[in-house]
């Protein structure tokens, strides 16, 4: 995964959350944000593990 894309997605979801007032939409945005942050963390951990083995 491209870190830049993940960072942009995270920033985008945070920006949308800062103005969204509809509870259902906020819940969806919070879920998407959490999923994107988890993907990024997983990718970073995998990258670290592979560099530790090298």
């Amino acid at each position: 995964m491209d870190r830049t894309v993940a960072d942009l997605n995270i920033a985008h979801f945070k920006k949308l959350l800062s103005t969204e007032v509809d509870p259902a939409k906020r819940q969806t945005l919070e879920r998407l944000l959490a999923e994107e942050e988890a993907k990024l963390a997983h990718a970073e951990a995998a990258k670290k593990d592979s560099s530790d083995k090298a």
Side-chain angles (χ1 to χ4, degrees):
M1 175 206 309
D2 184 15
R3 180 174 174 83
T4 303
V5 173
D7 286 338
L8 289 170
N9 285 341
I10 289 168
H12 180 68
F13 293 141
K14 286 181 177 181
K15 182 179 178 184
L16 291 175
L17 274 169
S18 72
T19 59
E20 185 58 64
V21 294
D22 180 81
K25 290 181 182 178
R26 285 190 60 80
Q27 184 177 19
T28 299
L29 289 168
E30 289 167 349
R31 178 182 52 79
L32 291 169
L33 175 60
E35 288 174 2
E36 197 68 25
E37 289 173 334
K39 282 192 263 184
L40 181 59
H42 180 73
E44 290 293 315
K47 182 179 175 182
K48 183 179 181 292
D49 286 346
S50 67
S51 67
D52 287 347
K53 293 178 182 176

